[in-house]
Amino acid sequence: MAEPSTILFRTTLLHFPSFFNQTHHNPSLFIKPIFHTSTTKPTSEHPISRIRCSISTSEAPSSTSTEKILWGCEADSLENAEALQKWLNGSGLPAQKMKIEKVDVGERGLVANNNIRKGEKLLFVPPSLVITADSEWGCPEAGEVLKRNSVPDWPLLATYLISEASLKGSSRWSNYISALPRQPYSLLYWTRSELDRYLEASQIRERAIERSNDVIGTYNDLKLRIFSKHPELFPEQVFNMETFRWSFGILFSRLVRLPSMDGNVALVPWADMLNHSCEVETFLDYDKSSEGIVFTTDRSYQPGEQVFISYGKKSNGELLLSYGFVPKEGTNPSDSAELSLSLKKSDQCYKEKLEVLKKYGLSGSHCFPLRVTGWPVEMMAYAYLVVSPPFMLKQFDEMAAIASNTTKSKKDIRYPELDEQALQFILDSCEASIAKYSKFLQASGTMDLDVTSPKQLNRRLFLKQLAVDLCNSERRILYRTQYILRRRLRDIRSGELRALRIFDGFRNLFK
């Protein structure tokens, strides 16, 4: 469960807005971009013994493959999760009404061991067991260097995780890190060839590529500005691209923003074992009365039932992007599919239309979300602009403003004389997208799989299944959109035909 920060570390990161503007977890966490740098010194609230910072490079992970990461566990391991629970119980975690077990939805989850009523507060994880930007470092010198350079929360926490993981048993958080997945299946861990092979039809592929590039850019900047200047604190054998891919993957899938703690981001051990359900809306927050991280149930649970939380109102593609799973088709009321619309370069007003789009922060190709219930007014405005004839040049600005959602006017834009052309343009784009999905799904049963490597075969089969599930759910929405568009066009054309017949009748009458 994660909610990325909008804090920027370097000016060049302004070129990567997608990385800092993703939002995860619950609806209360959707915040406007902020520019704030934490420079608070580590607290001494939970003193730990000073640990030496030297790291054995012989035990450090290699930068050549994520398989060389030596910490974390297999995603379905219960042993380390149970060790985590035992450590938490001995570190101040109160008695709970839930326990970690192997579950059907998600490989590990929290299961009720008592009757739980609707509206009951659960968890009560104390702040002492929560990881934030102010948490004390096992290697204080490394933490001081980052804070001295005003590194924002996200890159700081990513570096913190690697630093603590490299200390292994010497780190206060060793039990927590041991329970984290070594290589989850979120799209950050898919190779470029896997993204191209399995998600060619889905627009989420571009989001995954952008996210990966953003992580690479952030690591390269840290390496240039800080790590290379302090190799004794940040040896490349430990602080490398693969370990940062791991740490950012953990943050994307588990970091939460707590509204009642001044909106600070945090990792909440044990609470992040909770799995997502599209049927619940409850989320984590700090409860001042109990002085702990809690959530309030919005349904009752019987002993043995898995307890769920909401990661936010996200599409199946967004859930796959950060968390590595796709809900069953038709079960996610927040599901959507992105449809790409593009200006036609053959348009004699192409230059003018492109300029007005750029004026409002758009480009000649833009994606819009489609839901089973319909599409946004912004998409219709963009379509109007695409099909507008030259004599409507004065209306281009209004269309682009509404397409960008920057206009104060929330009226439903209408150009009746362009309706048929605009709807047909959207339909053509929709059907072209459907064809891509259908091509992949038809070929998915005959994909080339490497049977010489059972481990890699299992991974490929799993990724392929995720891709098939996502493509089926997104194509379903596109089919629904196609049906609505065809009906509207049929109504328009039948109305025009009736009007033409009436006109011909009057004309014949006066002959």
Side-chain angles (χ1 to χ4, degrees):
M1 49 192 98
E3 197 280 329
S5 169
T6 52
I7 302 167
L8 300 182
F9 171 49
R10 59 189 177 107
T11 55
T12 51
L13 283 182
L14 288 168
H15 299 296
F16 304 113
S18 59
F19 170 58
F20 292 99
N21 291 332
Q22 306 299 325
T23 46
H24 301 277
H25 188 46
N26 64 76
S28 70
L29 305 186
F30 288 74
I31 59 172
K32 295 180 180 179
I34 55 176
F35 293 86
H36 168 74
T37 302
S38 174
T39 56
T40 310
K41 294 185 180 297
T43 66
S44 57
E45 181 181 356
H46 317 293
I48 58 175
S49 58
R50 186 179 180 84
I51 302 171
R52 61 185 178 87
C53 296
S54 60
I55 301 170
S56 172
T57 56
S58 63
E59 296 179 342
S62 166
S63 62
T64 59
S65 171
T66 51
E67 294 179 359
K68 299 290 182 65
I69 290 177
L70 300 179
W71 49 74
C73 67
E74 296 301 326
D76 59 355
S77 170
L78 279 176
E79 182 179 351
N80 286 334
E82 290 171 351
L84 167 66
Q85 185 162 8
K86 183 178 179 180
W87 171 76
L88 288 169
N89 291 340
S91 301
L93 185 73
Q96 305 285 329
K97 288 190 174 183
M98 299 176 293
K99 58 183 177 181
I100 301 172
E101 286 190 0
K102 191 173 180 64
V103 293
D104 293 331
V105 179
E107 294 173 321
R108 300 176 300 192
L110 296 185
V111 173
N113 53 18
N114 296 96
N115 286 314
I116 297 174
R117 303 184 308 275
K118 179 180 178 180
E120 192 169 347
K121 289 183 179 179
L122 299 178
L123 282 182
F124 304 104
V125 179
S128 61
L129 295 175
V130 176
I131 298 176
T132 69
D134 293 328
S135 291
E136 210 165 338
W137 288 62
C139 178
E141 292 85 353
E144 285 300 321
V145 167
L146 294 184
K147 291 178 182 291
R148 204 162 51 237
N149 282 273
S150 300
V151 177
D153 291 356
W154 265 72
L156 186 145
L157 284 170
T159 310
Y160 180 84
L161 270 181
I162 298 170
S163 178
E164 295 300 308
S166 67
L167 296 175
K168 298 187 176 180
S170 299
S171 170
R172 178 181 180 232
W173 303 105
S174 61
N175 289 97
Y176 174 60
I177 292 169
S178 296
L180 294 173
R182 185 170 299 162
Q183 187 180 8
Y185 286 99
S186 74
L187 295 189
L188 189 61
Y189 295 87
W190 291 33
T191 65
R192 179 60 182 269
S193 62
E194 288 168 345
L195 291 172
D196 292 343
R197 184 180 181 86
Y198 299 128
L199 296 176
E200 181 182 6
S202 177
Q203 293 296 330
I204 206 68
R205 169 183 167 275
E206 295 301 320
R207 297 266 299 276
I209 293 172
E210 289 174 5
R211 176 170 291 186
S212 180
N213 288 339
D214 293 339
V215 170
I216 292 171
T218 302
Y219 165 71
N220 286 337
D221 186 79
L222 287 171
K223 180 180 178 182
L224 176 66
R225 292 173 179 265
I226 300 175
F227 298 164
S228 62
K229 297 177 180 179
H230 302 276
E232 74 286 358
L233 297 176
F234 306 101
E236 190 172 359
Q237 295 91 335
V238 174
F239 297 88
N240 53 61
M241 188 59 252
E242 297 308 330
T243 58
F244 265 82
R245 193 181 301 276
W246 170 81
S247 62
F248 270 106
I250 296 300
L251 297 185
F252 275 118
S253 61
R254 293 169 183 267
L255 199 66
V256 295
R257 190 176 294 277
L258 302 169
S260 298
M261 289 186 73
D262 299 323
N264 289 330
V265 291
L267 288 168
V268 188
W270 197 71
D272 56 14
M273 294 289 175
L274 286 160
N275 288 316
H276 170 78
S277 171
C278 300
E279 298 177 354
V280 302
E281 297 183 356
T282 187
F283 56 90
L284 295 179
D285 197 6
Y286 177 71
D287 181 60
K288 295 180 180 179
S289 61
S290 61
E291 298 184 344
I293 309 300
V294 304
F295 73 94
T296 304
T297 60
D298 56 8
R299 52 156 291 187
S300 60
Y301 294 93
Q302 300 296 319
E305 282 190 286
Q306 183 177 183
V307 179
F308 292 101
I309 199 170
S310 172
Y311 294 176
K313 295 181 179 180
K314 305 187 180 307
S315 69
N316 287 359
E318 290 171 321
L319 291 170
L320 177 60
L321 176 65
S322 290
Y323 307 102
F325 71 88
V326 178
K328 291 182 179 179
E329 184 180 353
T331 63
N332 182 5
S334 299
D335 197 14
S336 64
E338 291 188 334
L339 180 65
S340 178
L341 301 183
S342 301
L343 287 177
K344 299 176 181 178
K345 292 187 177 180
S346 59
D347 190 331
Q348 64 184 103
C349 293
Y350 175 80
K351 182 179 178 181
E352 291 81 1
K353 292 178 180 180
L354 184 60
E355 286 179 355
V356 76
L357 285 171
K358 288 182 178 179
K359 173 183 175 182
Y360 290 99
L362 299 176
S363 64
S365 182
H366 193 75
C367 291
F368 295 91
L370 302 176
R371 298 185 183 277
V372 172
T373 53
W375 53 82
V377 65
E378 291 84 0
M379 186 175 80
M380 198 65 194
Y382 194 99
Y384 279 142
L385 179 63
V386 171
V387 303
S388 294
F391 66 80
M392 295 187 71
L393 183 64
K394 292 182 179 180
Q395 282 75 44
F396 288 179
D397 192 272
E398 179 191 28
M399 295 173 184
I402 295 177
S404 67
N405 198 24
T406 57
T407 178
K408 294 181 180 179
S409 174
K410 297 297 181 182
K411 66 179 181 179
D412 186 6
I413 185 174
R414 286 299 307 275
Y415 290 95
E417 69 275 24
L418 297 178
D419 276 351
E420 183 177 353
Q421 286 177 276
L423 291 174
Q424 184 63 55
F425 168 68
I426 296 173
L427 177 60
D428 292 343
S429 302
C430 183
E431 291 180 337
S433 186
I434 289 173
K436 291 182 180 179
Y437 283 97
S438 297
K439 181 181 178 181
F440 166 74
L441 291 169
Q442 289 168 4
S444 62
T446 59
M447 281 196 161
D448 181 26
L449 298 175
D450 181 13
V451 296
T452 62
S453 175
K455 185 176 182 180
Q456 189 66 13
L457 173 62
N458 290 338
R459 171 183 167 79
R460 290 185 182 181
L461 284 174
F462 185 62
L463 299 190
K464 176 182 168 184
Q465 186 61 57
L466 288 172
V468 168
D469 291 344
L470 177 65
C471 287
N472 274 321
S473 68
E474 292 184 340
R475 188 176 67 163
R476 169 178 171 266
I477 295 172
L478 288 166
Y479 271 139
R480 175 63 179 171
T481 303
Q482 178 191 54
Y483 171 77
I484 295 173
L485 287 166
R486 286 178 174 176
R487 281 193 59 179
R488 291 194 181 182
L489 284 167
R490 186 173 67 245
D491 291 344
I492 290 173
R493 288 162 182 165
S494 63
E496 290 175 348
L497 182 59
R498 285 196 300 270
L500 182 61
R501 286 172 178 170
I502 293 172
F503 176 75
D504 287 340
F506 277 112
R507 186 173 59 180
N508 291 332
L509 183 65
F510 289 100
K511 277 185 178 180

